[in-house]
PDB file of all heavy atoms in Angstrom:
ATOM      1  N   PRO A   1      89.601  39.917 185.574  1.00  0.00           N
ATOM      2  CA  PRO A   1      90.615  40.922 185.763  1.00  0.00           C
ATOM      3  C   PRO A   1      92.048  40.466 185.550  1.00  0.00           C
ATOM      4  O   PRO A   1      92.926  41.241 185.307  1.00  0.00           O
ATOM      5  CB  PRO A   1      90.357  41.355 187.229  1.00  0.00           C
ATOM      6  CG  PRO A   1      88.922  41.095 187.492  1.00  0.00           C
ATOM      7  CD  PRO A   1      88.727  39.788 186.780  1.00  0.00           C
ATOM      8  N   LEU A   2      92.272  39.055 185.697  1.00  0.00           N
ATOM      9  CA  LEU A   2      93.556  38.606 185.309  1.00  0.00           C
ATOM     10  C   LEU A   2      93.910  38.808 183.946  1.00  0.00           C
ATOM     11  O   LEU A   2      95.028  39.107 183.552  1.00  0.00           O
ATOM     12  CB  LEU A   2      93.682  37.120 185.773  1.00  0.00           C
ATOM     13  CG  LEU A   2      93.578  36.757 187.218  1.00  0.00           C
ATOM     14  CD1 LEU A   2      93.522  35.245 187.403  1.00  0.00           C
ATOM     15  CD2 LEU A   2      94.751  37.344 187.961  1.00  0.00           C
ATOM     16  N   MET A   3      92.940  38.608 183.033  1.00  0.00           N
ATOM     17  CA  MET A   3      93.077  38.926 181.628  1.00  0.00           C
ATOM     18  C   MET A   3      93.313  40.381 181.345  1.00  0.00           C
ATOM     19  O   MET A   3      94.266  40.774 180.654  1.00  0.00           O
ATOM     20  CB  MET A   3      91.907  38.501 180.802  1.00  0.00           C
ATOM     21  CG  MET A   3      92.000  38.755 179.312  1.00  0.00           C
ATOM     22  SD  MET A   3      90.453  38.514 178.384  1.00  0.00           S
ATOM     23  CE  MET A   3      89.432  39.887 179.045  1.00  0.00           C
ATOM     24  N   ASP A   4      92.528  41.204 182.080  1.00  0.00           N
ATOM     25  CA  ASP A   4      92.745  42.700 181.959  1.00  0.00           C
ATOM     26  C   ASP A   4      94.101  43.088 182.420  1.00  0.00           C
ATOM     27  O   ASP A   4      94.717  44.028 181.814  1.00  0.00           O
ATOM     28  CB  ASP A   4      91.568  43.409 182.708  1.00  0.00           C
ATOM     29  CG  ASP A   4      90.216  43.046 182.231  1.00  0.00           C
ATOM     30  OD1 ASP A   4      90.118  42.772 181.001  1.00  0.00           O
ATOM     31  OD2 ASP A   4      89.308  43.031 182.971  1.00  0.00           O
ATOM     32  N   GLY A   5      94.506  42.517 183.556  1.00  0.00           N
ATOM     33  CA  GLY A   5      95.870  42.876 184.071  1.00  0.00           C
ATOM     34  C   GLY A   5      96.992  42.536 183.074  1.00  0.00           C
ATOM     35  O   GLY A   5      97.906  43.226 182.876  1.00  0.00           O
ATOM     36  N   THR A   6      96.834  41.323 182.473  1.00  0.00           N
ATOM     37  CA  THR A   6      97.812  40.930 181.469  1.00  0.00           C
ATOM     38  C   THR A   6      97.756  41.912 180.219  1.00  0.00           C
ATOM     39  O   THR A   6      98.779  42.298 179.736  1.00  0.00           O
ATOM     40  CB  THR A   6      97.485  39.522 180.952  1.00  0.00           C
ATOM     41  OG1 THR A   6      97.391  38.575 182.020  1.00  0.00           O
ATOM     42  CG2 THR A   6      98.558  39.008 179.965  1.00  0.00           C
ATOM     43  N   ALA A   7      96.546  42.302 179.822  1.00  0.00           N
ATOM     44  CA  ALA A   7      96.449  43.256 178.668  1.00  0.00           C
ATOM     45  C   ALA A   7      96.989  44.559 179.143  1.00  0.00           C
ATOM     46  O   ALA A   7      97.728  45.192 178.269  1.00  0.00           O
ATOM     47  CB  ALA A   7      94.931  43.430 178.464  1.00  0.00           C
ATOM     48  N   LYS A   8      96.910  45.018 180.319  1.00  0.00           N
ATOM     49  CA  LYS A   8      97.460  46.298 180.755  1.00  0.00           C
ATOM     50  C   LYS A   8      98.967  46.233 180.693  1.00  0.00           C
ATOM     51  O   LYS A   8      99.591  47.189 180.229  1.00  0.00           O
ATOM     52  CB  LYS A   8      97.038  46.601 182.207  1.00  0.00           C
ATOM     53  CG  LYS A   8      97.551  47.911 182.777  1.00  0.00           C
ATOM     54  CD  LYS A   8      97.035  48.137 184.184  1.00  0.00           C
ATOM     55  CE  LYS A   8      97.636  49.444 184.803  1.00  0.00           C
ATOM     56  NZ  LYS A   8      97.230  50.609 184.050  1.00  0.00           N
ATOM     57  N   TYR A   9      99.516  45.102 181.107  1.00  0.00           N
ATOM     58  CA  TYR A   9     101.027  44.915 181.091  1.00  0.00           C
ATOM     59  C   TYR A   9     101.476  44.939 179.645  1.00  0.00           C
ATOM     60  O   TYR A   9     102.445  45.623 179.251  1.00  0.00           O
ATOM     61  CB  TYR A   9     101.415  43.646 181.734  1.00  0.00           C
ATOM     62  CG  TYR A   9     102.903  43.326 181.611  1.00  0.00           C
ATOM     63  CD1 TYR A   9     103.812  43.948 182.388  1.00  0.00           C
ATOM     64  CD2 TYR A   9     103.354  42.394 180.656  1.00  0.00           C
ATOM     65  CE1 TYR A   9     105.201  43.690 182.287  1.00  0.00           C
ATOM     66  CE2 TYR A   9     104.693  42.120 180.557  1.00  0.00           C
ATOM     67  CZ  TYR A   9     105.618  42.770 181.398  1.00  0.00           C
ATOM     68  OH  TYR A   9     106.937  42.478 181.199  1.00  0.00           O
ATOM     69  N   LEU A  10     100.759  44.209 178.737  1.00  0.00           N
ATOM     70  CA  LEU A  10     101.230  44.136 177.339  1.00  0.00           C
ATOM     71  C   LEU A  10     101.086  45.459 176.613  1.00  0.00           C
ATOM     72  O   LEU A  10     101.827  45.736 175.605  1.00  0.00           O
ATOM     73  CB  LEU A  10     100.417  43.042 176.562  1.00  0.00           C
ATOM     74  CG  LEU A  10     100.776  41.606 176.933  1.00  0.00           C
ATOM     75  CD1 LEU A  10      99.687  40.617 176.318  1.00  0.00           C
ATOM     76  CD2 LEU A  10     102.122  41.243 176.445  1.00  0.00           C
ATOM     77  N   SER A  11     100.115  46.275 177.006  1.00  0.00           N
ATOM     78  CA  SER A  11      99.920  47.540 176.330  1.00  0.00           C
ATOM     79  C   SER A  11     101.068  48.529 176.487  1.00  0.00           C
ATOM     80  O   SER A  11     101.190  49.573 175.729  1.00  0.00           O
ATOM     81  CB  SER A  11      98.621  48.205 176.817  1.00  0.00           C
ATOM     82  OG  SER A  11      98.723  48.542 178.186  1.00  0.00           O
ATOM     83  N   VAL A  12     101.992  48.193 177.348  1.00  0.00           N
ATOM     84  CA  VAL A  12     103.207  49.019 177.500  1.00  0.00           C
ATOM     85  C   VAL A  12     104.116  48.777 176.309  1.00  0.00           C
ATOM     86  O   VAL A  12     104.881  49.627 175.896  1.00  0.00           O
ATOM     87  CB  VAL A  12     103.991  48.686 178.827  1.00  0.00           C
ATOM     88  CG1 VAL A  12     105.354  49.395 178.872  1.00  0.00           C
ATOM     89  CG2 VAL A  12     103.086  48.962 180.047  1.00  0.00           C
ATOM     90  N   PHE A  13     104.057  47.565 175.700  1.00  0.00           N
ATOM     91  CA  PHE A  13     105.003  47.189 174.686  1.00  0.00           C
ATOM     92  C   PHE A  13     104.367  47.181 173.239  1.00  0.00           C
ATOM     93  O   PHE A  13     105.047  47.415 172.333  1.00  0.00           O
ATOM     94  CB  PHE A  13     105.534  45.749 174.982  1.00  0.00           C
ATOM     95  CG  PHE A  13     106.116  45.643 176.318  1.00  0.00           C
ATOM     96  CD1 PHE A  13     105.416  45.091 177.359  1.00  0.00           C
ATOM     97  CD2 PHE A  13     107.410  46.090 176.518  1.00  0.00           C
ATOM     98  CE1 PHE A  13     105.918  44.984 178.643  1.00  0.00           C
ATOM     99  CE2 PHE A  13     107.974  45.927 177.871  1.00  0.00           C
ATOM    100  CZ  PHE A  13     107.234  45.406 178.908  1.00  0.00           C
ATOM    101  N   VAL A  14     102.979  46.933 173.162  1.00  0.00           N
ATOM    102  CA  VAL A  14     102.369  46.915 171.858  1.00  0.00           C
ATOM    103  C   VAL A  14     101.075  47.823 172.035  1.00  0.00           C
ATOM    104  O   VAL A  14     100.656  48.053 173.062  1.00  0.00           O
ATOM    105  CB  VAL A  14     102.016  45.519 171.367  1.00  0.00           C
ATOM    106  CG1 VAL A  14     103.333  44.709 171.145  1.00  0.00           C
ATOM    107  CG2 VAL A  14     101.102  44.813 172.363  1.00  0.00           C
ATOM    108  N   SER A  15     100.453  48.065 170.872  1.00  0.00           N
ATOM    109  CA  SER A  15      99.264  48.914 170.911  1.00  0.00           C
ATOM    110  C   SER A  15      98.062  48.202 171.507  1.00  0.00           C
ATOM    111  O   SER A  15      98.073  46.969 171.374  1.00  0.00           O
ATOM    112  CB  SER A  15      98.913  49.421 169.523  1.00  0.00           C
ATOM    113  OG  SER A  15      98.375  48.318 168.713  1.00  0.00           O
ATOM    114  N   PRO A  16      97.136  48.934 172.148  1.00  0.00           N
ATOM    115  CA  PRO A  16      95.911  48.224 172.639  1.00  0.00           C
ATOM    116  C   PRO A  16      95.145  47.451 171.615  1.00  0.00           C
ATOM    117  O   PRO A  16      94.502  46.420 171.868  1.00  0.00           O
ATOM    118  CB  PRO A  16      95.152  49.452 173.218  1.00  0.00           C
ATOM    119  CG  PRO A  16      96.066  50.470 173.549  1.00  0.00           C
ATOM    120  CD  PRO A  16      97.135  50.343 172.465  1.00  0.00           C
ATOM    121  N   VAL A  17      95.201  47.990 170.380  1.00  0.00           N
ATOM    122  CA  VAL A  17      94.466  47.279 169.277  1.00  0.00           C
ATOM    123  C   VAL A  17      95.141  45.892 169.004  1.00  0.00           C
ATOM    124  O   VAL A  17      94.445  44.897 168.824  1.00  0.00           O
ATOM    125  CB  VAL A  17      94.453  48.083 167.949  1.00  0.00           C
ATOM    126  CG1 VAL A  17      93.732  47.342 166.874  1.00  0.00           C
ATOM    127  CG2 VAL A  17      93.762  49.387 168.195  1.00  0.00           C
ATOM    128  N   GLU A  18      96.493  45.879 169.029  1.00  0.00           N
ATOM    129  CA  GLU A  18      97.208  44.633 168.790  1.00  0.00           C
ATOM    130  C   GLU A  18      96.990  43.700 170.011  1.00  0.00           C
ATOM    131  O   GLU A  18      96.918  42.448 169.824  1.00  0.00           O
ATOM    132  CB  GLU A  18      98.704  44.953 168.630  1.00  0.00           C
ATOM    133  CG  GLU A  18      99.497  43.689 168.314  1.00  0.00           C
ATOM    134  CD  GLU A  18     100.935  44.053 167.942  1.00  0.00           C
ATOM    135  OE1 GLU A  18     101.199  45.200 167.640  1.00  0.00           O
ATOM    136  OE2 GLU A  18     101.738  43.090 168.060  1.00  0.00           O
ATOM    137  N   VAL A  19      96.882  44.236 171.213  1.00  0.00           N
ATOM    138  CA  VAL A  19      96.566  43.388 172.384  1.00  0.00           C
ATOM    139  C   VAL A  19      95.205  42.703 172.230  1.00  0.00           C
ATOM    140  O   VAL A  19      95.076  41.496 172.470  1.00  0.00           O
ATOM    141  CB  VAL A  19      96.603  44.218 173.699  1.00  0.00           C
ATOM    142  CG1 VAL A  19      96.162  43.429 174.812  1.00  0.00           C
ATOM    143  CG2 VAL A  19      97.999  44.766 173.956  1.00  0.00           C
ATOM    144  N   ALA A  20      94.255  43.488 171.762  1.00  0.00           N
ATOM    145  CA  ALA A  20      92.897  42.977 171.608  1.00  0.00           C
ATOM    146  C   ALA A  20      92.880  41.896 170.452  1.00  0.00           C
ATOM    147  O   ALA A  20      92.260  40.850 170.631  1.00  0.00           O
ATOM    148  CB  ALA A  20      91.922  44.071 171.299  1.00  0.00           C
ATOM    149  N   LEU A  21      93.679  42.198 169.336  1.00  0.00           N
ATOM    150  CA  LEU A  21      93.717  41.237 168.272  1.00  0.00           C
ATOM    151  C   LEU A  21      94.352  39.893 168.789  1.00  0.00           C
ATOM    152  O   LEU A  21      93.853  38.853 168.470  1.00  0.00           O
ATOM    153  CB  LEU A  21      94.603  41.820 167.137  1.00  0.00           C
ATOM    154  CG  LEU A  21      94.894  40.915 165.992  1.00  0.00           C
ATOM    155  CD1 LEU A  21      93.606  40.434 165.294  1.00  0.00           C
ATOM    156  CD2 LEU A  21      95.765  41.666 164.968  1.00  0.00           C
ATOM    157  N   GLY A  22      95.396  40.048 169.571  1.00  0.00           N
ATOM    158  CA  GLY A  22      96.029  38.846 170.134  1.00  0.00           C
ATOM    159  C   GLY A  22      95.054  38.075 170.976  1.00  0.00           C
ATOM    160  O   GLY A  22      95.099  36.809 170.938  1.00  0.00           O
ATOM    161  N   ARG A  23      94.255  38.707 171.795  1.00  0.00           N
ATOM    162  CA  ARG A  23      93.258  38.080 172.646  1.00  0.00           C
ATOM    163  C   ARG A  23      92.334  37.225 171.857  1.00  0.00           C
ATOM    164  O   ARG A  23      92.025  36.064 172.137  1.00  0.00           O
ATOM    165  CB  ARG A  23      92.548  39.166 173.521  1.00  0.00           C
ATOM    166  CG  ARG A  23      91.369  38.539 174.272  1.00  0.00           C
ATOM    167  CD  ARG A  23      90.061  39.110 173.770  1.00  0.00           C
ATOM    168  NE  ARG A  23      88.891  38.469 174.322  1.00  0.00           N
ATOM    169  CZ  ARG A  23      87.977  39.172 175.036  1.00  0.00           C
ATOM    170  NH1 ARG A  23      88.148  40.474 175.267  1.00  0.00           N
ATOM    171  NH2 ARG A  23      86.985  38.488 175.485  1.00  0.00           N
ATOM    172  N   PHE A  24      91.731  37.843 170.805  1.00  0.00           N
ATOM    173  CA  PHE A  24      90.702  37.106 169.998  1.00  0.00           C
ATOM    174  C   PHE A  24      91.297  35.987 169.194  1.00  0.00           C
ATOM    175  O   PHE A  24      90.748  34.954 169.001  1.00  0.00           O
ATOM    176  CB  PHE A  24      90.013  38.160 169.170  1.00  0.00           C
ATOM    177  CG  PHE A  24      88.986  38.968 169.870  1.00  0.00           C
ATOM    178  CD1 PHE A  24      89.259  40.350 170.111  1.00  0.00           C
ATOM    179  CD2 PHE A  24      87.796  38.499 170.310  1.00  0.00           C
ATOM    180  CE1 PHE A  24      88.374  41.095 170.823  1.00  0.00           C
ATOM    181  CE2 PHE A  24      86.897  39.266 171.003  1.00  0.00           C
ATOM    182  CZ  PHE A  24      87.208  40.602 171.258  1.00  0.00           C
ATOM    183  N   PHE A  25      92.534  36.260 168.703  1.00  0.00           N
ATOM    184  CA  PHE A  25      93.221  35.247 167.831  1.00  0.00           C
ATOM    185  C   PHE A  25      93.505  33.987 168.705  1.00  0.00           C
ATOM    186  O   PHE A  25      93.174  32.846 168.270  1.00  0.00           O
ATOM    187  CB  PHE A  25      94.498  35.767 167.173  1.00  0.00           C
ATOM    188  CG  PHE A  25      95.284  34.769 166.450  1.00  0.00           C
ATOM    189  CD1 PHE A  25      94.977  34.397 165.177  1.00  0.00           C
ATOM    190  CD2 PHE A  25      96.330  34.030 167.051  1.00  0.00           C
ATOM    191  CE1 PHE A  25      95.646  33.420 164.459  1.00  0.00           C
ATOM    192  CE2 PHE A  25      97.033  33.077 166.407  1.00  0.00           C
ATOM    193  CZ  PHE A  25      96.729  32.784 165.050  1.00  0.00           C
ATOM    194  N   CYS A  26      94.118  34.257 169.916  1.00  0.00           N
ATOM    195  CA  CYS A  26      94.390  33.108 170.805  1.00  0.00           C
ATOM    196  C   CYS A  26      93.163  32.391 171.219  1.00  0.00           C
ATOM    197  O   CYS A  26      93.135  31.206 171.397  1.00  0.00           O
ATOM    198  CB  CYS A  26      95.220  33.647 171.960  1.00  0.00           C
ATOM    199  SG  CYS A  26      96.866  34.167 171.585  1.00  0.00           S
ATOM    200  N   GLN A  27      92.072  33.165 171.503  1.00  0.00           N
ATOM    201  CA  GLN A  27      90.816  32.586 171.949  1.00  0.00           C
ATOM    202  C   GLN A  27      90.311  31.578 170.858  1.00  0.00           C
ATOM    203  O   GLN A  27      89.936  30.498 171.170  1.00  0.00           O
ATOM    204  CB  GLN A  27      89.757  33.619 172.217  1.00  0.00           C
ATOM    205  CG  GLN A  27      88.497  33.152 172.708  1.00  0.00           C
ATOM    206  CD  GLN A  27      87.513  34.264 173.139  1.00  0.00           C
ATOM    207  OE1 GLN A  27      87.873  35.240 173.556  1.00  0.00           O
ATOM    208  NE2 GLN A  27      86.186  33.934 172.984  1.00  0.00           N
ATOM    209  N   ALA A  28      90.293  32.096 169.619  1.00  0.00           N
ATOM    210  CA  ALA A  28      89.728  31.278 168.549  1.00  0.00           C
ATOM    211  C   ALA A  28      90.674  29.974 168.358  1.00  0.00           C
ATOM    212  O   ALA A  28      90.181  28.839 168.121  1.00  0.00           O
ATOM    213  CB  ALA A  28      89.750  32.047 167.198  1.00  0.00           C
ATOM    214  N   ALA A  29      91.999  30.202 168.484  1.00  0.00           N
ATOM    215  CA  ALA A  29      92.898  29.039 168.356  1.00  0.00           C
ATOM    216  C   ALA A  29      92.698  28.021 169.386  1.00  0.00           C
ATOM    217  O   ALA A  29      92.692  26.796 169.171  1.00  0.00           O
ATOM    218  CB  ALA A  29      94.369  29.581 168.350  1.00  0.00           C
ATOM    219  N   ILE A  30      92.531  28.464 170.685  1.00  0.00           N
ATOM    220  CA  ILE A  30      92.352  27.591 171.798  1.00  0.00           C
ATOM    221  C   ILE A  30      91.001  26.778 171.619  1.00  0.00           C
ATOM    222  O   ILE A  30      90.967  25.578 171.857  1.00  0.00           O
ATOM    223  CB  ILE A  30      92.308  28.388 173.110  1.00  0.00           C
ATOM    224  CG1 ILE A  30      93.640  28.880 173.416  1.00  0.00           C
ATOM    225  CG2 ILE A  30      91.751  27.493 174.270  1.00  0.00           C
ATOM    226  CD1 ILE A  30      93.637  29.948 174.506  1.00  0.00           C
ATOM    227  N   VAL A  31      89.950  27.476 171.106  1.00  0.00           N
ATOM    228  CA  VAL A  31      88.692  26.738 170.904  1.00  0.00           C
ATOM    229  C   VAL A  31      88.874  25.688 169.793  1.00  0.00           C
ATOM    230  O   VAL A  31      88.369  24.581 169.953  1.00  0.00           O
ATOM    231  CB  VAL A  31      87.564  27.748 170.537  1.00  0.00           C
ATOM    232  CG1 VAL A  31      86.357  26.996 170.058  1.00  0.00           C
ATOM    233  CG2 VAL A  31      87.294  28.689 171.635  1.00  0.00           C
ATOM    234  N   ALA A  32      89.597  26.023 168.712  1.00  0.00           N
ATOM    235  CA  ALA A  32      89.805  25.115 167.689  1.00  0.00           C
ATOM    236  C   ALA A  32      90.533  23.840 168.105  1.00  0.00           C
ATOM    237  O   ALA A  32      90.190  22.709 167.763  1.00  0.00           O
ATOM    238  CB  ALA A  32      90.548  25.737 166.517  1.00  0.00           C
ATOM    239  N   VAL A  33      91.512  24.027 168.955  1.00  0.00           N
ATOM    240  CA  VAL A  33      92.281  22.889 169.534  1.00  0.00           C
ATOM    241  C   VAL A  33      91.377  22.027 170.439  1.00  0.00           C
ATOM    242  O   VAL A  33      91.346  20.830 170.304  1.00  0.00           O
ATOM    243  CB  VAL A  33      93.519  23.376 170.337  1.00  0.00           C
ATOM    244  CG1 VAL A  33      94.224  22.256 171.026  1.00  0.00           C
ATOM    245  CG2 VAL A  33      94.420  24.065 169.393  1.00  0.00           C
ATOM    246  N   LEU A  34      90.630  22.693 171.274  1.00  0.00           N
ATOM    247  CA  LEU A  34      89.803  21.893 172.221  1.00  0.00           C
ATOM    248  C   LEU A  34      88.693  21.149 171.388  1.00  0.00           C
ATOM    249  O   LEU A  34      88.288  20.030 171.751  1.00  0.00           O
ATOM    250  CB  LEU A  34      89.097  22.881 173.156  1.00  0.00           C
ATOM    251  CG  LEU A  34      90.007  23.432 174.318  1.00  0.00           C
ATOM    252  CD1 LEU A  34      89.152  24.447 175.087  1.00  0.00           C
ATOM    253  CD2 LEU A  34      90.456  22.291 175.159  1.00  0.00           C
ATOM    254  N   ALA A  35      88.205  21.832 170.329  1.00  0.00           N
ATOM    255  CA  ALA A  35      87.154  21.214 169.576  1.00  0.00           C
ATOM    256  C   ALA A  35      87.666  19.860 168.927  1.00  0.00           C
ATOM    257  O   ALA A  35      87.011  18.879 168.823  1.00  0.00           O
ATOM    258  CB  ALA A  35      86.652  22.155 168.453  1.00  0.00           C
ATOM    259  N   GLY A  36      88.936  19.965 168.509  1.00  0.00           N
ATOM    260  CA  GLY A  36      89.579  18.850 167.929  1.00  0.00           C
ATOM    261  C   GLY A  36      89.699  17.706 168.864  1.00  0.00           C
ATOM    262  O   GLY A  36      89.413  16.495 168.569  1.00  0.00           O
ATOM    263  N   PHE A  37      90.043  17.925 170.129  1.00  0.00           N
ATOM    264  CA  PHE A  37      90.075  16.933 171.145  1.00  0.00           C
ATOM    265  C   PHE A  37      88.759  16.353 171.477  1.00  0.00           C
ATOM    266  O   PHE A  37      88.568  15.193 171.921  1.00  0.00           O
ATOM    267  CB  PHE A  37      90.654  17.459 172.457  1.00  0.00           C
ATOM    268  CG  PHE A  37      92.186  17.483 172.424  1.00  0.00           C
ATOM    269  CD1 PHE A  37      92.911  18.718 172.349  1.00  0.00           C
ATOM    270  CD2 PHE A  37      92.910  16.399 172.448  1.00  0.00           C
ATOM    271  CE1 PHE A  37      94.266  18.832 172.280  1.00  0.00           C
ATOM    272  CE2 PHE A  37      94.319  16.410 172.345  1.00  0.00           C
ATOM    273  CZ  PHE A  37      95.067  17.655 172.309  1.00  0.00           C
ATOM    274  N   MET A  38      87.674  17.142 171.296  1.00  0.00           N
ATOM    275  CA  MET A  38      86.270  16.779 171.549  1.00  0.00           C
ATOM    276  C   MET A  38      85.526  16.110 170.330  1.00  0.00           C
ATOM    277  O   MET A  38      84.400  15.876 170.377  1.00  0.00           O
ATOM    278  CB  MET A  38      85.420  17.951 172.089  1.00  0.00           C
ATOM    279  CG  MET A  38      86.000  18.469 173.402  1.00  0.00           C
ATOM    280  SD  MET A  38      85.180  19.924 173.953  1.00  0.00           S
ATOM    281  CE  MET A  38      83.495  19.315 174.301  1.00  0.00           C
ATOM    282  N   GLY A  39      86.372  15.962 169.275  1.00  0.00           N
ATOM    283  CA  GLY A  39      85.811  15.329 168.108  1.00  0.00           C
ATOM    284  C   GLY A  39      85.041  16.158 167.121  1.00  0.00           C
ATOM    285  O   GLY A  39      84.287  15.643 166.311  1.00  0.00           O
ATOM    286  N   ARG A  40      85.106  17.515 167.277  1.00  0.00           N
ATOM    287  CA  ARG A  40      84.471  18.400 166.422  1.00  0.00           C
ATOM    288  C   ARG A  40      85.344  18.943 165.343  1.00  0.00           C
ATOM    289  O   ARG A  40      86.498  19.278 165.621  1.00  0.00           O
ATOM    290  CB  ARG A  40      83.807  19.579 167.248  1.00  0.00           C
ATOM    291  CG  ARG A  40      82.763  19.217 168.154  1.00  0.00           C
ATOM    292  CD  ARG A  40      81.982  20.416 168.560  1.00  0.00           C
ATOM    293  NE  ARG A  40      81.313  21.101 167.430  1.00  0.00           N
ATOM    294  CZ  ARG A  40      80.615  22.202 167.645  1.00  0.00           C
ATOM    295  NH1 ARG A  40      80.346  22.659 168.803  1.00  0.00           N
ATOM    296  NH2 ARG A  40      80.126  22.847 166.573  1.00  0.00           N
ATOM    297  N   SER A  41      84.894  19.014 164.138  1.00  0.00           N
ATOM    298  CA  SER A  41      85.658  19.445 162.982  1.00  0.00           C
ATOM    299  C   SER A  41      85.601  21.012 162.936  1.00  0.00           C
ATOM    300  O   SER A  41      84.664  21.619 163.386  1.00  0.00           O
ATOM    301  CB  SER A  41      85.106  18.868 161.686  1.00  0.00           C
ATOM    302  OG  SER A  41      83.871  19.290 161.432  1.00  0.00           O
ATOM    303  N   PRO A  42      86.641  21.594 162.328  1.00  0.00           N
ATOM    304  CA  PRO A  42      86.573  23.083 162.046  1.00  0.00           C
ATOM    305  C   PRO A  42      85.317  23.488 161.335  1.00  0.00           C
ATOM    306  O   PRO A  42      84.767  24.587 161.513  1.00  0.00           O
ATOM    307  CB  PRO A  42      87.770  23.329 161.234  1.00  0.00           C
ATOM    308  CG  PRO A  42      88.758  22.238 161.627  1.00  0.00           C
ATOM    309  CD  PRO A  42      87.865  21.022 161.798  1.00  0.00           C
ATOM    310  N   GLY A  43      84.814  22.578 160.379  1.00  0.00           N
ATOM    311  CA  GLY A  43      83.645  22.937 159.589  1.00  0.00           C
ATOM    312  C   GLY A  43      82.413  23.029 160.470  1.00  0.00           C
ATOM    313  O   GLY A  43      81.558  23.883 160.273  1.00  0.00           O
ATOM    314  N   SER A  44      82.283  22.224 161.511  1.00  0.00           N
ATOM    315  CA  SER A  44      81.162  22.252 162.409  1.00  0.00           C
ATOM    316  C   SER A  44      81.072  23.568 163.180  1.00  0.00           C
ATOM    317  O   SER A  44      80.004  24.187 163.475  1.00  0.00           O
ATOM    318  CB  SER A  44      81.130  21.062 163.351  1.00  0.00           C
ATOM    319  OG  SER A  44      82.152  21.144 164.284  1.00  0.00           O
ATOM    320  N   LEU A  45      82.336  24.075 163.484  1.00  0.00           N
ATOM    321  CA  LEU A  45      82.402  25.435 164.230  1.00  0.00           C
ATOM    322  C   LEU A  45      82.065  26.547 163.351  1.00  0.00           C
ATOM    323  O   LEU A  45      81.317  27.453 163.684  1.00  0.00           O
ATOM    324  CB  LEU A  45      83.885  25.557 164.759  1.00  0.00           C
ATOM    325  CG  LEU A  45      84.298  24.712 165.926  1.00  0.00           C
ATOM    326  CD1 LEU A  45      85.717  24.934 166.301  1.00  0.00           C
ATOM    327  CD2 LEU A  45      83.385  24.938 167.188  1.00  0.00           C
ATOM    328  N   MET A  46      82.492  26.448 162.132  1.00  0.00           N
ATOM    329  CA  MET A  46      82.284  27.507 161.062  1.00  0.00           C
ATOM    330  C   MET A  46      80.786  27.592 160.761  1.00  0.00           C
ATOM    331  O   MET A  46      80.280  28.692 160.437  1.00  0.00           O
ATOM    332  CB  MET A  46      83.075  27.300 159.796  1.00  0.00           C
ATOM    333  CG  MET A  46      84.555  27.591 159.992  1.00  0.00           C
ATOM    334  SD  MET A  46      84.979  29.255 160.504  1.00  0.00           S
ATOM    335  CE  MET A  46      84.235  30.295 159.166  1.00  0.00           C
ATOM    336  N   LYS A  47      80.085  26.474 160.863  1.00  0.00           N
ATOM    337  CA  LYS A  47      78.657  26.516 160.619  1.00  0.00           C
ATOM    338  C   LYS A  47      77.891  27.377 161.595  1.00  0.00           C
ATOM    339  O   LYS A  47      76.762  27.848 161.293  1.00  0.00           O
ATOM    340  CB  LYS A  47      78.114  25.066 160.605  1.00  0.00           C
ATOM    341  CG  LYS A  47      78.450  24.350 159.295  1.00  0.00           C
ATOM    342  CD  LYS A  47      77.854  22.936 159.373  1.00  0.00           C
ATOM    343  CE  LYS A  47      78.205  22.138 158.114  1.00  0.00           C
ATOM    344  NZ  LYS A  47      77.655  20.721 158.173  1.00  0.00           N
TER     345      LYS A  47
END
């Protein structure tokens, strides 16, 4: 619900679709960064 509360706040300023897009983009970016620290390449994730 903390994520949902953040989304509710952001939906005042941008569209809900853009809020959802931002959520998924940031999620993928965070995973890519963590994977790099764990020694996994972007290619292994894409597989």
Side-chain angles (χ1 to χ4, degrees):
L2 293 175
M3 178 191 69
D4 297 330
T6 306
K8 180 177 176 66
Y9 175 78
L10 286 171
S11 67
V12 175
F13 306 98
V14 299
S15 73
V17 179
E18 187 176 338
V19 173
L21 175 60
R23 171 248 172 120
F24 285 106
F25 177 83
C26 290
Q27 180 174 333
I30 290 167
V31 173
V33 171
L34 287 176
F37 279 110
M38 297 175 66
R40 292 196 58 178
S41 65
S44 68
L45 290 176
M46 288 302 300
K47 287 181 180 179

